[in-house]
């Protein structure tokens, strides 16, 4: 295909609602069920996977817009957009070569020479960053439900002085919440406290023929409906002259022999994403549930949450 991506920052919007891994035709298939999905269009995404998408969306070239923006996210891949940086040299003179864990997870490194604990600085170009996945992950289903993201977004919209807000939901990305018997997340089964790896993701099951395409499409669609009910609540409780429902990337279901959403794969099912424009009005119909923020998530926990989503 002729790949000419468009950054979301090249379009006008106040509220960007990102439905993770949502194909254009999937959203089209349920659009008539939701009044706010009447103004249909599409966009060619800058990436075929979230880890690359966040890096490009939060690139320093957009620093002026980012400086007045909020990012409310349920996707643990936010670690790749906002890494920790370290000085090149310790006070003792030793060269510092921070590990992947230090840069993307922990923000600290031990000097190999003097054993001093070195603390990195996290580069966060947005005015407000709310990594909701750090405090509201549901280990029983291997993902995060939409509601904590909705509540945090409403709180942010009502209480913060911002020009724009990106709200990044995890659904319809697998695991498919309405079908736990089909898809429980790559690394977790029902009540599995030991987190034993399951053999196949839903896309691997489809590729090997252990589940048929009709079943996957039905539950993929139901997982989309699951999050769209929260999108409806969000749009009725935030003010936005231009709200957009879009996605970071789609999913392949066998096109060109590809399943899921591998990196650097700019085929139509992965990079042609929805772009539905609507509006938001805060009618005060929903009161967010207050939750305690716990951002002290360990490196191992971050990795486990990415594993739940099939990223390893």
């Amino acid at each position: 295909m002729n790949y000419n991506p468009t950054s979301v920052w090249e379009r006008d919007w106040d509220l960007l609602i990102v439905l993770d891994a949502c194909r254009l035709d999937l959203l089209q298939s349920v659009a008539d069920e939701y009044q706010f999905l009447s103004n249909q269009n599409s966009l060619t995404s800058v990436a075929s996977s979230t880890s690359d998408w966040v890096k490009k969306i939060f690139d320093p070239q957009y620093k002026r817009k980012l400086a007045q923006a909020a990012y409310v996210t349920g996707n643990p891949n936010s670690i790749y957009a906002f890494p920790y940086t370290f000085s090149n040299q310790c006070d003792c003179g030793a060269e510092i070569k921070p590990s992947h864990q230090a840069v993307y997870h922990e923000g600290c490194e031990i000097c190999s020479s003097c054993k001093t604990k070195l603390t990195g600085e996290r580069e966060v170009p947005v005015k407000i960053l709310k990594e909701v996945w750090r405090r509201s992950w549901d280990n029983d289903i291997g993902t995060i439900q939409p509601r904590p993201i909705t509540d945090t977004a409403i709180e942010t919209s009502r209480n913060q002085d911002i020009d724009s807000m990106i709200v990044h939901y995890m659904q319809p990305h697998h695991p498919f919440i309405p079908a736990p018997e089909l898809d429980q997340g790559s690394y977790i089964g029902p009540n599995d406290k030991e987190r034993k790896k399951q053999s196949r993701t839903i896309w691997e099951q489809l590729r090997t023929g252990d589940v048929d395409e009709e079943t996957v499409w039905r539950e993929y669609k139901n997982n989309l409906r699951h999050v769209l009910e929260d999108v409806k609540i969000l749009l009725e409780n935030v003010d936005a002259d231009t709200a957009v429902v879009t996605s970071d990337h789609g999913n392949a279901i066998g096109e060109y022999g590809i399943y899921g959403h591998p990196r650097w794969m700019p085929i139509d099912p992965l990079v042609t994403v929805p772009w539905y424009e609507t509006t938001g009005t805060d009618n005060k119909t929903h009161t967010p549930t207050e939750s305690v923020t716990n951002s002290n998530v360990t490196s191992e926990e971050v990795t486990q949450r990415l594993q739940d989503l099939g990223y390893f």
Side-chain angles (χ1 to χ4, degrees), residues 115-176:
K115 307 305 178 184
T116 298
K117 183 177 181 180
L118 308 170
T119 303
E121 294 186 5
R122 197 178 192 201
E123 300 177 358
V124 180
V126 292
K127 185 174 184 178
I128 296 170
L129 173 62
K130 301 282 188 177
E131 293 177 307
V132 190
W133 60 268
R134 289 186 180 272
R135 58 174 166 81
S136 298
W137 198 259
D138 189 334
N139 281 333
D140 289 334
I141 58 174
T143 188
I144 181 173
Q145 289 278 3
R147 189 55 49 87
I149 301 165
T150 302
D151 286 350
T152 303
I154 292 171
E155 289 176 343
T156 301
S157 177
R158 288 175 180 171
N159 300 320
Q160 301 293 335
D161 181 17
I162 52 176
D163 291 343
S164 61
M165 179 168 62
I166 301 175
V167 182
H168 194 155
Y169 288 100
M170 264 318 319
Q171 289 72 44
H173 190 291
H174 85 96
F176 297 159

Coordinates of all heavy atoms in Angstrom, one line a residue, residues 115-176:
K115 N 28.5 1.8 43.2 CA 27.2 1.3 43.7 C 26.2 2.3 44.2 O 25.3 2.0 44.9 CB 27.5 0.3 44.8 CG 28.5 -0.8 44.4 CD 28.0 -1.6 43.1 CE 29.0 -2.6 42.8 NZ 28.7 -3.3 41.5
T116 N 26.4 3.6 43.8 CA 25.5 4.7 44.1 C 24.2 4.5 43.3 O 24.2 4.1 42.1 CB 26.1 6.0 43.8 OG1 27.3 6.2 44.5 CG2 25.1 7.2 44.1
K117 N 23.1 4.7 44.0 CA 21.8 4.7 43.3 C 21.5 6.0 42.6 O 21.5 7.0 43.2 CB 20.6 4.4 44.3 CG 19.3 4.3 43.7 CD 18.2 4.0 44.7 CE 16.8 3.8 44.0 NZ 15.8 3.5 45.0
L118 N 21.4 5.9 41.3 CA 21.2 7.0 40.4 C 19.7 7.1 40.0 O 19.1 6.1 39.6 CB 22.1 6.9 39.2 CG 23.6 6.6 39.4 CD1 24.3 6.2 38.1 CD2 24.2 7.8 40.1
T119 N 19.2 8.3 40.1 CA 17.8 8.5 39.8 C 17.6 9.3 38.5 O 18.3 10.3 38.3 CB 17.1 9.3 40.9 OG1 17.2 8.6 42.1 CG2 15.6 9.5 40.6
G120 N 16.8 8.8 37.6 CA 16.6 9.4 36.3 C 15.5 10.4 36.3 O 14.7 10.5 37.3
E121 N 15.4 11.2 35.3 CA 14.3 12.2 35.2 C 13.4 11.8 34.0 O 13.9 11.5 32.9 CB 14.9 13.6 34.9 CG 15.7 14.2 36.0 CD 16.1 15.6 35.7 OE1 15.7 16.2 34.7 OE2 16.9 16.2 36.6
R122 N 12.1 11.7 34.3 CA 11.2 11.3 33.3 C 10.7 12.5 32.5 O 10.3 13.5 33.0 CB 10.0 10.6 34.0 CG 9.2 9.8 33.0 CD 8.0 9.1 33.7 NE 7.4 8.1 32.7 CZ 6.2 7.6 32.9 NH1 5.4 8.0 33.8 NH2 5.8 6.7 32.0
E123 N 10.8 12.3 31.2 CA 10.4 13.4 30.3 C 8.9 13.3 30.0 O 8.5 12.3 29.3 CB 11.2 13.3 29.0 CG 12.7 13.4 29.2 CD 13.5 13.3 27.9 OE1 12.9 13.0 26.8 OE2 14.7 13.4 27.9
V124 N 8.1 14.2 30.5 CA 6.7 14.2 30.3 C 6.3 15.5 29.6 O 6.1 16.5 30.3 CB 6.0 14.0 31.6 CG1 4.4 14.0 31.4 CG2 6.4 12.7 32.3
P125 N 6.1 15.5 28.3 CA 5.8 16.8 27.6 C 4.4 17.3 27.8 O 4.1 18.4 27.4 CB 6.2 16.5 26.2 CG 5.9 15.0 26.0 CD 6.3 14.4 27.4
V126 N 3.5 16.4 28.2 CA 2.1 16.8 28.4 C 1.9 17.5 29.7 O 2.7 17.3 30.7 CB 1.1 15.6 28.3 CG1 1.1 15.0 26.9 CG2 1.5 14.6 29.4
K127 N 0.9 18.4 29.8 CA 0.7 19.1 31.0 C 0.2 18.2 32.1 O 0.6 18.4 33.3 CB -0.4 20.2 30.8 CG -0.6 21.1 32.0 CD -1.6 22.3 31.6 CE -1.8 23.2 32.8 NZ -2.6 24.4 32.4
I128 N -0.6 17.2 31.8 CA -1.1 16.3 32.8 C -1.1 14.9 32.2 O -1.5 14.6 31.1 CB -2.6 16.6 33.1 CG1 -2.7 18.0 33.8 CG2 -3.2 15.5 34.0 CD1 -4.1 18.5 34.0
L129 N -0.4 14.0 33.0 CA -0.4 12.6 32.6 C -1.0 11.7 33.7 O -0.7 11.8 34.9 CB 1.1 12.1 32.5 CG 1.3 10.6 32.2 CD1 0.7 10.2 30.9 CD2 2.8 10.3 32.3
K130 N -2.1 11.0 33.3 CA -2.8 10.1 34.2 C -2.7 8.7 33.7 O -3.4 8.3 32.8 CB -4.3 10.5 34.3 CG -4.5 11.9 34.8 CD -4.4 12.1 36.3 CE -4.8 13.4 36.8 NZ -4.7 13.5 38.2
E131 N -1.7 7.9 34.2 CA -1.6 6.5 33.8 C -2.5 5.7 34.7 O -2.1 5.1 35.7 CB -0.1 6.1 34.0 CG 0.8 6.9 33.0 CD 2.3 6.5 33.1 OE1 2.8 6.7 34.3 OE2 2.9 6.2 32.1
V132 N -3.7 5.6 34.3 CA -4.7 4.9 35.1 C -4.4 3.4 35.3 O -4.8 2.8 36.3 CB -6.1 5.1 34.5 CG1 -7.2 4.7 35.5 CG2 -6.4 6.6 34.1
W133 N -3.7 2.8 34.3 CA -3.4 1.4 34.4 C -2.5 1.1 35.6 O -2.5 0.0 36.1 CB -2.7 1.0 33.1 CG -1.4 1.7 32.8 CD1 -1.3 2.8 32.0 CD2 -0.1 1.4 33.3 NE1 0.0 3.2 32.0 CE2 0.8 2.3 32.7 CE3 0.4 0.4 34.1 CZ2 2.1 2.3 32.9 CZ3 1.8 0.3 34.3 CH2 2.6 1.3 33.7
R134 N -1.8 2.1 36.2 CA -1.0 1.8 37.3 C -1.8 1.5 38.6 O -1.3 0.8 39.4 CB -0.1 3.0 37.5 CG 1.0 3.2 36.5 CD 2.0 4.3 36.8 NE 3.0 4.5 35.8 CZ 4.1 3.9 35.8 NH1 4.4 2.9 36.7 NH2 5.0 4.1 34.8
R135 N -3.0 2.0 38.7 CA -3.7 1.8 39.9 C -5.0 1.0 39.8 O -5.7 0.7 40.7 CB -4.0 3.2 40.5 CG -4.8 4.1 39.6 CD -5.3 5.4 40.4 NE -5.7 6.4 39.5 CZ -7.0 6.5 39.0 NH1 -7.8 5.6 39.3 NH2 -7.3 7.5 38.2
S136 N -5.4 0.8 38.5 CA -6.8 0.2 38.3 C -6.7 -1.1 37.5 O -7.8 -1.4 36.9 CB -7.7 1.2 37.7 OG -7.9 2.3 38.6
W137 N -5.6 -1.7 37.4 CA -5.5 -3.0 36.6 C -6.3 -4.1 37.2 O -6.3 -4.2 38.5 CB -4.1 -3.4 36.4 CG -3.8 -4.3 35.3 CD1 -3.6 -5.7 35.4 CD2 -3.7 -4.0 33.9 NE1 -3.4 -6.2 34.1 CE2 -3.5 -5.2 33.2 CE3 -3.8 -2.8 33.2 CZ2 -3.4 -5.3 31.8 CZ3 -3.7 -2.9 31.8 CH2 -3.4 -4.1 31.1
D138 N -7.0 -4.9 36.5 CA -7.8 -6.0 37.0 C -7.0 -7.3 36.6 O -7.1 -7.7 35.4 CB -9.2 -6.0 36.4 CG -10.1 -7.0 37.0 OD1 -9.6 -8.0 37.6 OD2 -11.3 -6.8 37.0
N139 N -6.3 -7.9 37.5 CA -5.6 -9.1 37.3 C -6.5 -10.3 37.0 O -6.0 -11.3 36.4 CB -4.7 -9.4 38.4 CG -3.4 -8.6 38.4 OD1 -2.9 -8.1 37.4 ND2 -2.8 -8.4 39.6
D140 N -7.7 -10.2 37.4 CA -8.6 -11.4 37.1 C -9.0 -11.5 35.6 O -9.4 -12.5 35.2 CB -9.9 -11.2 38.0 CG -9.6 -11.5 39.4 OD1 -8.6 -12.2 39.7 OD2 -10.4 -11.0 40.3
I141 N -9.0 -10.3 34.9 CA -9.3 -10.4 33.5 C -8.1 -10.0 32.6 O -8.2 -10.1 31.4 CB -10.5 -9.4 33.2 CG1 -10.2 -8.0 33.6 CG2 -11.8 -9.9 33.9 CD1 -11.3 -7.0 33.2
G142 N -7.0 -9.6 33.2 CA -5.8 -9.3 32.5 C -5.8 -8.1 31.7 O -5.2 -7.9 30.7
T143 N -6.6 -7.1 32.1 CA -6.7 -5.8 31.4 C -7.3 -4.8 32.4 O -7.5 -5.1 33.6 CB -7.5 -5.9 30.1 OG1 -7.4 -4.7 29.4 CG2 -9.0 -6.2 30.4
I144 N -7.6 -3.6 31.9 CA -8.3 -2.6 32.7 C -9.7 -2.3 32.1 O -9.9 -2.2 30.9 CB -7.4 -1.3 32.7 CG1 -8.1 -0.2 33.6 CG2 -7.1 -0.8 31.4 CD1 -7.2 1.0 33.8
Q145 N -10.7 -2.2 33.0 CA -12.0 -1.9 32.6 C -12.1 -0.4 32.1 O -11.3 0.4 32.5 CB -13.0 -2.1 33.8 CG -13.2 -3.5 34.2 CD -14.2 -4.2 33.3 OE1 -14.8 -3.7 32.4 NE2 -14.6 -5.5 33.7
P146 N -13.1 -0.1 31.3 CA -13.2 1.3 30.9 C -13.5 2.3 31.9 O -13.1 3.5 31.9 CB -14.4 1.2 29.8 CG -14.5 -0.2 29.5 CD -14.1 -1.0 30.7
R147 N -14.3 1.9 33.0 CA -14.8 2.9 33.9 C -13.8 3.7 34.6 O -13.9 5.0 34.8 CB -15.8 2.2 34.9 CG -16.6 3.2 35.8 CD -17.4 4.3 35.0 NE -18.2 3.7 34.0 CZ -19.4 3.3 34.1 NH1 -20.0 3.3 35.3 NH2 -20.1 2.8 33.1
P148 N -12.7 3.2 35.1 CA -11.7 4.0 35.8 C -11.1 5.1 34.9 O -10.8 6.2 35.3 CB -10.6 3.0 36.2 CG -11.3 1.7 36.3 CD -12.3 1.7 35.2
I149 N -11.0 4.7 33.6 CA -10.5 5.7 32.6 C -11.5 6.8 32.4 O -11.2 8.0 32.4 CB -10.1 5.0 31.3 CG1 -9.1 3.9 31.5 CG2 -9.7 6.0 30.2 CD1 -8.9 2.9 30.4
T150 N -12.8 6.4 32.3 CA -13.9 7.4 32.1 C -13.9 8.4 33.3 O -14.0 9.6 33.1 CB -15.2 6.7 32.0 OG1 -15.2 5.8 30.8 CG2 -16.3 7.7 31.8
D151 N -13.8 7.8 34.5 CA -13.9 8.6 35.7 C -12.7 9.6 35.8 O -12.9 10.8 36.1 CB -13.9 7.7 36.9 CG -15.3 7.0 37.2 OD1 -16.2 7.4 36.5 OD2 -15.4 6.2 38.0
T152 N -11.6 9.1 35.5 CA -10.4 10.0 35.5 C -10.4 11.1 34.5 O -10.1 12.2 34.8 CB -9.1 9.1 35.3 OG1 -9.0 8.1 36.3 CG2 -7.9 10.0 35.4
A153 N -10.9 10.7 33.3 CA -11.1 11.7 32.3 C -12.1 12.8 32.6 O -11.8 14.0 32.4 CB -11.5 11.1 31.0
I154 N -13.2 12.4 33.2 CA -14.2 13.4 33.6 C -13.6 14.3 34.7 O -13.8 15.5 34.7 CB -15.5 12.7 34.1 CG1 -16.2 12.0 32.9 CG2 -16.4 13.7 34.8 CD1 -17.3 11.1 33.3
E155 N -13.0 13.7 35.7 CA -12.3 14.5 36.8 C -11.3 15.5 36.2 O -11.3 16.7 36.6 CB -11.6 13.6 37.8 CG -12.6 12.8 38.6 CD -11.8 11.8 39.5 OE1 -10.6 11.6 39.3 OE2 -12.4 11.4 40.5
T156 N -10.5 15.1 35.3 CA -9.5 15.9 34.7 C -10.2 17.0 33.9 O -9.7 18.2 34.0 CB -8.6 15.1 33.7 OG1 -8.0 14.0 34.5 CG2 -7.5 15.9 33.1
S157 N -11.2 16.7 33.1 CA -11.8 17.8 32.3 C -12.5 18.8 33.2 O -12.4 20.0 32.9 CB -12.9 17.1 31.4 OG -13.6 18.1 30.7
R158 N -13.1 18.4 34.3 CA -13.8 19.4 35.2 C -12.9 20.2 36.0 O -13.2 21.3 36.4 CB -14.8 18.6 36.0 CG -16.0 18.0 35.3 CD -16.9 17.2 36.2 NE -18.0 16.7 35.5 CZ -18.9 15.8 36.0 NH1 -18.6 15.3 37.2 NH2 -19.9 15.4 35.3
N159 N -11.7 19.6 36.4 CA -10.9 20.3 37.4 C -9.5 20.9 36.9 O -8.9 21.5 37.7 CB -10.6 19.3 38.5 CG -11.9 18.8 39.2 OD1 -12.8 19.6 39.4 ND2 -11.9 17.5 39.5
Q160 N -9.2 20.6 35.6 CA -7.9 21.1 35.1 C -8.1 22.1 34.0 O -9.0 22.0 33.2 CB -7.1 19.9 34.7 CG -6.8 18.9 35.7 CD -5.9 19.4 36.9 OE1 -5.1 20.3 36.7 NE2 -6.1 18.7 38.1
D161 N -7.1 23.0 33.9 CA -7.1 24.0 32.8 C -6.3 23.5 31.7 O -5.1 23.6 31.7 CB -6.6 25.3 33.3 CG -6.6 26.4 32.3 OD1 -7.3 26.3 31.3 OD2 -5.8 27.4 32.5
I162 N -6.9 22.9 30.7 CA -6.2 22.3 29.6 C -6.9 22.7 28.3 O -8.1 23.0 28.3 CB -6.2 20.7 29.7 CG1 -7.6 20.2 29.9 CG2 -5.2 20.3 30.8 CD1 -7.7 18.7 29.9
D163 N -6.1 22.6 27.2 CA -6.7 22.9 25.9 C -7.3 21.7 25.2 O -8.2 21.8 24.4 CB -5.6 23.5 25.0 CG -5.2 24.9 25.4 OD1 -6.0 25.6 26.2 OD2 -4.2 25.4 25.0
S164 N -6.7 20.5 25.5 CA -7.1 19.3 24.8 C -6.8 18.1 25.7 O -6.0 18.2 26.7 CB -6.3 19.1 23.5 OG -5.0 19.0 23.7
M165 N -7.5 17.0 25.4 CA -7.3 15.8 26.2 C -7.4 14.5 25.3 O -8.3 14.4 24.5 CB -8.4 15.7 27.3 CG -8.3 14.5 28.2 SD -9.3 14.5 29.7 CE -10.9 14.7 29.0
I166 N -6.5 13.6 25.5 CA -6.5 12.3 24.9 C -6.9 11.3 25.9 O -6.3 11.2 27.0 CB -5.1 11.9 24.3 CG1 -4.7 13.0 23.3 CG2 -5.2 10.5 23.7 CD1 -3.2 12.7 22.7
V167 N -8.0 10.6 25.6 CA -8.4 9.5 26.5 C -8.3 8.2 25.8 O -8.9 7.9 24.8 CB -9.9 9.7 26.9 CG1 -10.4 8.7 27.9 CG2 -10.1 11.1 27.5
H168 N -7.4 7.4 26.4 CA -6.9 6.1 25.7 C -7.5 4.9 26.5 O -7.0 4.5 27.5 CB -5.4 6.1 25.7 CG -4.8 5.1 24.8 ND1 -3.6 5.2 24.2 CD2 -5.3 3.9 24.3 CE1 -3.3 4.1 23.5 NE2 -4.4 3.3 23.5
Y169 N -8.6 4.4 25.9 CA -9.2 3.1 26.4 C -8.5 1.9 25.9 O -7.9 1.9 24.8 CB -10.7 3.0 26.0 CG -11.6 4.0 26.7 CD1 -12.0 5.2 26.0 CD2 -12.1 3.8 28.0 CE1 -12.9 6.1 26.6 CE2 -13.0 4.7 28.6 CZ -13.3 5.8 27.9 OH -14.2 6.7 28.5
M170 N -8.5 0.8 26.7 CA -7.8 -0.4 26.3 C -8.7 -1.2 25.3 O -8.2 -1.9 24.5 CB -7.5 -1.3 27.5 CG -6.1 -1.2 28.0 SD -4.7 -1.1 26.9 CE -5.0 -2.3 25.6
Q171 N -10.0 -1.2 25.4 CA -10.9 -2.0 24.5 C -11.1 -1.2 23.2 O -11.0 0.0 23.2 CB -12.2 -2.2 25.2 CG -12.2 -3.2 26.4 CD -11.5 -2.6 27.6 OE1 -11.8 -1.4 28.0 NE2 -10.6 -3.3 28.2
P172 N -11.3 -2.0 22.1 CA -11.6 -3.4 22.0 C -10.4 -4.4 22.0 O -10.6 -5.5 21.6 CB -12.4 -3.5 20.8 CG -11.8 -2.5 19.9 CD -11.5 -1.3 20.8
H173 N -9.2 -3.9 22.3 CA -8.0 -4.7 22.4 C -8.3 -5.9 23.3 O -9.0 -5.8 24.3 CB -6.9 -3.9 22.9 CG -5.5 -4.6 22.9 ND1 -5.2 -5.7 23.6 CD2 -4.4 -4.3 22.1 CE1 -4.0 -6.1 23.4 NE2 -3.5 -5.2 22.5
H174 N -7.8 -7.1 22.9 CA -8.1 -8.3 23.7 C -7.3 -8.1 25.0 O -6.4 -7.3 25.1 CB -7.6 -9.6 23.0 CG -6.1 -9.9 23.1 ND1 -5.6 -10.7 24.1 CD2 -5.1 -9.4 22.5 CE1 -4.3 -10.8 24.0 NE2 -3.9 -10.0 23.0
P175 N -7.7 -8.7 26.1 CA -8.7 -9.8 26.3 C -10.1 -9.2 26.1 O -10.4 -8.1 26.4 CB -8.6 -10.2 27.8 CG -7.2 -9.7 28.2 CD -7.0 -8.5 27.4
F176 N -11.0 -10.1 25.5 CA -12.4 -9.7 25.3 C -13.2 -9.9 26.6 O -13.5 -11.0 27.0 CB -13.0 -10.6 24.2 CG -12.3 -10.4 22.9 CD1 -12.4 -11.4 21.9 CD2 -11.6 -9.3 22.5 CE1 -11.8 -11.3 20.6 CE2 -11.0 -9.1 21.3 CZ -11.1 -10.1 20.4

